[in-house]
Amino acid sequence: MKKNKIKYPHLNSSKRIIIGILLVASIMWNCSDEKSNPFLVEKNHVGMLTDSTKVMDLKQIFEGDSIANLESDQFRSNVSEIDIYSKEGKKLLTLTPSSAMDSTATISNVQIFSEDYKTAKNVSTLSTFKDINDNYKISKINNLINAVVISVNEINASFTIDKKELPAHLQYDSNAPIEKSQIPDNAKIKYFMIYW
């Protein structure tokens, strides 16, 4: 019993090979483009930073930006945070090393201020509570003195919303539990953090 082969009389073998190569190249390009996005925020990376990035790697990663506290006496003495600024002086990120005064220490968390950094679901500092709630499962809501912190374990993130964005009766009581339904949809994100 013969198997019927699908024939493409209009494509010779060299054209089929070229089409195959183009398809593979296109798939590889899309995959590498997503991984090299300098502003993509995911569970294990923020742009070019990963959960294994060391302090000594920062100059190379942010060669076009300004890094504060990295070479100062403050860093050598006990700095707890490293700030990253754009060439124009806009604050982008604050990085916390796993230990002070150690250039081989990894980055333990990244605080994101710039709207350029976005999660794979397009949530950034320009987003609102509704954007978080629509795209992620909220793991926990913490009521702090001046802010509400929304944790999303799916991406190791916490989103901070200023209490001024909440109804007046929730702004001054840091002991009261806050439910999702009490946070207005249009409450703006002040900044967010990724923890490793």
Side-chain angles (χ1 to χ4, degrees):
M1 187 174 170
K2 283 186 177 178
K3 288 187 177 179
N4 291 333
K5 289 187 178 177
I6 299 172
K7 294 183 180 178
Y8 299 97
H10 58 286
L11 291 178
N12 63 30
S13 63
S14 62
K15 284 184 181 176
R16 279 186 250 155
I17 290 170
I18 291 170
I19 289 172
I21 290 170
L22 289 174
L23 284 172
V24 170
S26 174
I27 291 167
M28 289 175 67
W29 174 266
N30 286 336
C31 291
S32 68
D33 188 44
E34 189 172 298
K35 287 185 180 180
S36 65
N37 180 343
F39 300 109
L40 180 64
V41 176
E42 291 187 313
K43 188 172 188 171
N44 294 319
H45 71 89
V46 174
M48 300 304 186
L49 296 170
T50 69
D51 52 0
S52 59
T53 298
K54 294 183 168 89
V55 170
M56 63 185 176
D57 300 328
L58 297 178
K59 277 187 183 178
Q60 183 178 356
I61 293 169
F62 296 105
E63 62 183 336
D65 299 310
S66 175
I67 305 172
N69 302 331
L70 189 58
E71 293 182 354
S72 66
D73 290 334
Q74 185 183 9
F75 177 71
R76 289 189 197 98
S77 63
N78 203 13
V79 74
S80 58
E81 295 179 338
I82 299 166
D83 294 322
I84 310 295
Y85 293 88
S86 70
K87 287 182 235 179
E88 299 75 33
K90 178 181 167 188
K91 189 171 187 179
L92 305 174
L93 307 167
T94 295
L95 315 177
T96 305
S98 56
S99 61
M101 298 184 300
D102 182 1
S103 65
T104 64
T106 57
I107 303 302
S108 62
N109 67 62
V110 181
Q111 191 172 5
I112 300 165
F113 295 96
S114 170
E115 66 275 5
D116 294 333
Y117 289 88
K118 296 176 185 175
T119 70
K121 296 182 180 177
N122 214 32
V123 175
S124 74
T125 54
L126 293 178
S127 300
T128 62
F129 175 72
K130 182 178 189 325
D131 298 319
I132 301 168
N133 199 28
D134 286 351
N135 288 288
Y136 296 103
K137 180 182 176 189
I138 292 173
S139 309
K140 189 176 180 183
I141 298 174
N142 289 326
N143 183 357
L144 306 180
I145 294 171
N146 295 317
V148 173
V149 178
I150 293 125
S151 298
V152 175
N153 292 346
E154 179 183 337
I155 56 170
N156 292 341
S158 65
F159 297 87
T160 298
I161 293 175
D162 195 304
K163 274 199 173 170
K164 293 174 187 170
E165 301 282 334
L166 302 182
H169 69 281
L170 295 173
Q171 291 181 16
Y172 305 103
D173 186 355
S174 57
N175 295 317
I178 294 179
E179 302 296 324
K180 287 194 295 185
S181 59
Q182 295 175 293
I183 302 173
D185 281 348
N186 63 351
K188 296 173 191 151
I189 296 170
K190 188 174 182 180
Y191 59 83
F192 67 109
M193 297 181 81
I194 299 292
Y195 295 90
W196 294 314

